[in-house]
Amino acid sequence: MTEIRICATLLLVRNGASFDVLVVGSGAGGLAAAVSAERFGARVGLATKTTLQACNSAKAQGGIQAAFGDDDSPEIHAEDVMRSSHETANPRLVEVLTTEAPSAIHWLEEIGVEFTRSNGGYRLARCGGATRQRLLQVGDRTGHAITKSLRETYEAGGGAELPHHILRSISPIESGWAAAFETKEGPATVEAGALVLAAGGRCFAEAETRGELSTNHPNATGEATRIALDAGAEARDLDALQYHPNGGAWPSTMQGYSIPETTRAYGAVLLNADGEEFTDSLGPRDAVSQAIFDEVEAGRGVLTEDGRPAVWLDTTRIKPEDAEISLPYMLRRYRGAGIDPLSEPIYTYPVLHYQNGGLVIDEHAETTLEGVFACGEIAGGTHGRNRMMGNSLLECVVFGQRAGKAAAERARA
Ligand SMILES: Cc1cc2nc3c(=O)[nH]c(=O)nc-3n(C[C@H](O)[C@H](O)[C@H](O)COP(=O)(O)OP(=O)(O)OC[C@H]3O[C@@H](n4cnc5c(N)ncnc54)[C@H](O)[C@@H]3O)c2cc1C
């Protein structure tokens, strides 16, 4: 069925297809926008660089934030975001993000995401920079579960799929926007009443340029941001790239792996060469990464077997029952590589992870170009210059839904 739809779509594209809403990117942001635009009655096309499955979102392990705890509220969530961003985030976008977080979770449940539960409620963890336990999880494959349900929902609808479409430029036309793509069959132009750019960040490409490790999927190369800038869009905080404090450093098969922050939420702590704790292991990401860089710089780090700088993450402090429920994938990966994190500490060092800034958007996810919307990592403002863990998947869903709805309305206008 899918194959038939794809072939039909490619034929249409060669003849200059047109949609009400064209979404670019099939991560959580693009999928949420595409599902939402369809639900608001739009004829939707979903174009993406390679396959629909290829994205950063599916790699997300740790979880997604939403204020469900008895001692929590969207206002406290918003305060945590503002403080972690060092007051650089856009307060209106943050208010939307945190206020709509609980309904975003229920929307995901409606389409089939089953969040891990305990004691009759959601199993909530505290993530770095948070003052409350607020992180919902699906084991430690949260991003995989969310993208799978979103993708299946989109595939069950009437929207078109345009895999292997690499965006090359966008330009305004009388009826909206034209997007030029490179495809396996050659160049193709697709027209739409409104565009949603959800092509993610650029940390894979940036890490390659710097000769560093990255947690990112190879498709995270950032050219869609450049294309929007060339068309006249505004961006903010593009220089603010985030290091994940806990990249895997050894064994070599785990280099660049993002050790879930939930290891620290469930008791793991960072130790230097002398076995001393040198920072608040659940501080904001930038602070924890900087503390590791400083400790190594001061000569109190350790070296991996291949001579890379590192510190210890003492994962032996995690209770086995917590690890079995919330870290099974991470345990499998390490045990498969010959190391049991519940019996010995593991090597870790920060790795390039996330583009904090991006295209300027308003509360409806519209960029400064009329009729061009942006959601997910390509957009800026919601996290300011330092994102909290668990707020990116949330941003994809909240602003993806908003972008899809607003784009469908714009296309109808
Ligand atoms: C290993 C890892 C773990 C993470 N863990 C968490 C977590 O626990 N919680 C959390 O909230 N966040 C987490 N994040 C961050 C979060 O997953 C991402 O920031 C977020 O999912 C980005 O979603 P997106 O839809 O914006 O982009 P992506 O998921 O990266 O999708 C971008 C899409 O655009 C496509 N694309 C790119 N360029 C083009 C182009 N030129 N033309 C057409 N298509 C293009 C790509 O192929 C892809 O399909 C993690 C990230 C990583 C890498």
Side-chain angles (χ1 to χ4, degrees):
M1 172 65 184
T2 306
E3 269 173 32
I4 294 168
R5 239 176 47 210
I6 291 169
C7 292
T9 303
L10 287 176
L11 269 178
L12 275 173
V13 168
R14 272 203 292 276
N15 296 329
S18 103
F19 297 99
D20 296 332
V21 174
L22 176 66
V23 178
V24 181
S26 58
L31 289 166
V35 169
S36 164
E38 250 219 308
R39 289 190 173 184
F40 281 94
R43 287 178 308 113
V44 181
L46 176 60
T48 196
K49 189 183 260 182
T50 52
T51 63
L52 253 63
Q53 285 84 353
C55 61
N56 268 345
S57 302
K59 288 162 69 79
Q61 301 169 77
I64 178 166
Q65 289 202 49
F68 279 107
D70 290 342
D71 61 348
D72 203 1
S73 68
E75 292 73 30
I76 298 174
H77 185 177
E79 283 165 21
D80 287 351
V81 178
M82 290 305 298
R83 194 180 47 260
S84 295
S85 81
H86 310 293
E87 310 301 327
T88 59
N90 175 331
R92 177 61 192 136
L93 297 183
V94 175
E95 187 189 358
V96 168
L97 181 83
T98 63
T99 307
E100 294 184 6
S103 57
I105 296 299
H106 295 316
W107 189 71
L108 290 173
E109 287 178 320
E110 250 174 59
I111 61 164
V113 180
E114 291 181 36
F115 290 98
T116 308
R117 292 184 160 262
S118 63
N119 303 322
Y122 297 118
R123 182 173 166 85
L124 299 175
R126 187 164 86 80
C127 50
T131 54
R132 301 289 190 276
Q133 291 185 318
R134 186 185 301 130
L135 191 77
L136 286 85
Q137 307 130 67
V138 183
D140 57 357
R141 303 291 313 276
T142 310
H144 174 76
I146 289 175
T147 48
K148 183 169 179 287
S149 291
L150 283 168
R151 202 170 45 247
E152 287 174 356
T153 304
Y154 184 71
E155 284 170 349
E161 297 161 28
L162 289 75
H164 301 287
H165 277 59
I166 305 172
L167 185 70
R168 286 301 180 221
S169 68
I170 58 171
S171 47
I173 53 173
E174 206 177 323
S175 57
W177 286 85
F181 292 97
E182 185 185 317
T183 76
K184 284 179 171 175
E185 285 76 23
T189 301
V190 181
E191 296 182 358
L195 284 183
V196 179
L197 299 179
R202 68 176 200 279
C203 280
F204 183 85
E206 191 73 32
E208 281 215 316
T209 307
R210 297 182 185 190
E212 294 181 16
L213 296 174
S214 160
T215 58
N216 277 208
H217 188 283
N219 286 1
T221 44
E223 66 277 2
T225 304
R226 174 55 47 204
I227 290 166
L229 295 180
D230 289 346
E234 288 170 27
R236 50 168 292 172
D237 305 316
L238 274 181
D239 61 315
L241 297 178
Q242 179 170 75
Y243 281 85
H244 188 299
N246 284 155
W250 187 259
S252 59
T253 48
M254 301 304 287
Q255 285 168 352
Y257 169 75
S258 73
I259 302 167
E261 196 161 301
T262 33
T263 50
R264 288 175 276 132
Y266 288 112
V269 292
L270 291 159
L271 303 176
N272 64 17
D274 299 321
E276 293 162 349
E277 280 187 54
F278 56 88
T279 187
D280 170 9
S281 292
L282 274 182
R285 278 194 166 161
D286 57 349
V288 179
S289 292
Q290 195 56 51
I292 297 172
F293 289 135
D294 292 347
E295 201 66 6
V296 167
E297 184 70 26
R300 294 188 291 269
V302 290
L303 284 181
T304 62
E305 287 182 31
D306 64 348
R308 288 174 184 271
V311 295
W312 294 116
L313 180 65
D314 186 1
T315 40
T316 66
R317 303 187 191 200
I318 303 170
K319 287 189 203 139
E321 54 271 31
D322 283 335
E324 296 302 335
I325 296 172
S326 291
L327 297 162
Y329 177 69
M330 175 265 196
L331 285 184
R332 246 190 346 265
R333 291 281 309 262
Y334 269 93
R335 284 172 178 163
I339 288 172
D340 181 0
L342 298 185
S343 309
E344 55 183 311
I346 54 182
Y347 289 101
T348 186
Y349 194 70
V351 279
L352 212 46
H353 184 60
Y354 185 80
Q355 171 183 301
N356 290 301
L359 301 174
V360 171
I361 55 164
D362 66 13
E363 64 194 81
H364 304 292
E366 190 161 18
T367 68
T368 51
L369 297 174
E370 210 180 317
V372 179
F373 299 80
C375 56
E377 194 168 338
I378 196 172
T382 313
H383 316 292
R385 297 181 65 79
N386 186 46
R387 173 178 73 95
M388 293 177 80
M389 182 221 175
N391 276 346
S392 176
L393 287 173
L394 179 62
E395 173 190 30
C396 287
V397 180
V398 168
F399 285 97
Q401 282 182 292
R402 281 186 162 239
K405 175 174 186 275
E409 283 166 356
R410 176 58 58 89
R412 260 200 305 273

